[in-house]
Every structure is written in structure tokens, then in C-alpha cells.
Amino acid sequence: SMTDPLTGLPNRRAFETHFPQAQGLAERHHPVALVMLDIDHFKGVNDRFGHGVGDQVLLALAQSLKTLTRRADLAARLAGDEFAVLLTDLDTAGVQAWYTRLADHFVSELAAFGLDLQTGLSAGQTWLAGSSADTLNDALMRADRALYQAKARGRGQLALAADSENPAG
């Protein structure tokens, strides 16, 4: 199966299957951003309110991603509260604007579910290098390192991988 049963988003296998297409775009000089997201303090939400509420939080993020992801992009649930998004033909400011809209929409979705939780989204971003030598694992590791930078800086923000240059200039 290529769909996450809880969220209805593509799963890790679907993401891995789609990655070569995104890599091909990067090789043809289209900027492709890989953004790793996770929900701040998600374990605490599960521990304090139970897995049913945790599932609602995951569904709120999935709905936000479905609303704000263009047809040319791909948002997937990789595992737990870890999500990855491939965004095509945006520059650094465009990715930041997308993240800000996503974070705001996520808070609105939580409120629509009747959840008043002190949580948000942390994200790490890297650019695909535009070379077949840039593997999925390499890109995920760069985005994951940037995600940890966002958490270390206080959560609720997008961090750009230090070794990632914007191919859009």
C-alpha cells in the first residue's frame, strides 16, 4: 500500500517511489525543497491526552498539508509524527511563506477539532542538489539535521540545512 491508513496521505513507500521524479526536476534546474516536519511535544500530547487525541493532532496536520500542498508537490507521513514534503519551484522565501501558512493552518485545524494544545510545527529544509549522487537518504539526513536545529532554537520554526544552497539563487 502507498497510503497511510490514518491520515490518507502518501506513506514512506510512496515518498520513496516519488523521489526520483523530484530528483529529475532538480537535475533539470527546478528548485526542489525537501521539508521534514514534526509536531512539537507530540509525545507529551499522547501521554497526557491519549492516543485518540494524538490521532486527531496527526489528522489536523494531514488536513493542513492536503490544503496547502500543490498538485506538483508531495506531502507524506513517513512515521509517527514525522512528515516530509517535496516542494517544487519555490525559492527560500517561498518555502518560508509556505511553512508559515502551514503552521497557522495547523493551529486553526486543531481549534476546529476542539483541541486547545500548546503545540506547533518544527521543520527542517534542504534543497535537492540536482545530481543523481544526491540520494534520498542524503537529502533526508540534511533535512533531519535542520529539523533538529529548529528544535534546538526553540521549536515552532523552519531551519534551513547549513550545507544546502538554494538552486534558485
Side-chain angles (χ1 to χ4, degrees):
S1 171
M2 303 284 258
T3 304
D4 176 62
L6 175 65
T7 63
L9 288 173
N11 63 15
R12 185 179 199 98
R13 180 183 296 166
F15 189 81
E16 290 170 352
T17 300
H18 180 82
F19 185 81
Q21 181 182 343
Q23 188 65 46
L25 286 170
E27 288 173 16
R28 292 189 302 280
H29 308 291
H30 289 268
V32 179
L34 169 60
V35 179
M36 297 273 299
L37 297 159
D38 76 17
I39 299 163
D40 293 334
H41 309 293
F42 184 69
K43 183 182 181 325
V45 169
N46 270 338
D47 291 348
R48 186 165 173 214
F49 300 104
H51 290 279
V53 171
D55 286 353
Q56 287 185 306
V57 172
L58 293 170
L59 287 167
L61 177 52
Q63 186 56 51
S64 298
L65 286 166
K66 289 173 187 174
T67 300
L68 294 172
T69 305
R70 302 167 302 173
R71 217 183 345 230
D73 301 329
L74 179 74
R77 180 180 179 203
L78 299 186
D81 71 323
E82 189 174 89
F83 294 76
V85 185
L86 290 165
L87 299 168
T88 305
D89 290 328
L90 293 176
D91 60 10
T92 300
V95 175
Q96 180 63 53
W98 173 86
Y99 165 79
T100 301
R101 285 193 310 274
L102 179 70
D104 290 346
H105 196 280
F106 175 60
V107 170
S108 298
E109 283 292 323
L110 289 174
F113 276 109
L115 301 174
D116 181 20
L117 304 173
Q118 298 303 310
T119 190
L121 299 175
S122 291
Q125 185 228 318
T126 189
W127 296 102
L128 299 192
S131 147
S132 58
D134 188 23
T135 67
L136 173 61
N137 284 341
D138 290 343
L140 286 171
M141 281 194 326
R142 289 193 311 272
D144 202 44
R145 278 196 306 268
L147 172 60
Y148 278 93
Q149 290 171 357
K151 288 174 175 282
R153 293 180 194 155
R155 302 180 190 268
Q157 59 188 283
L158 171 69
L160 178 62
D163 52 356
S164 179
E165 290 187 24
N166 181 355

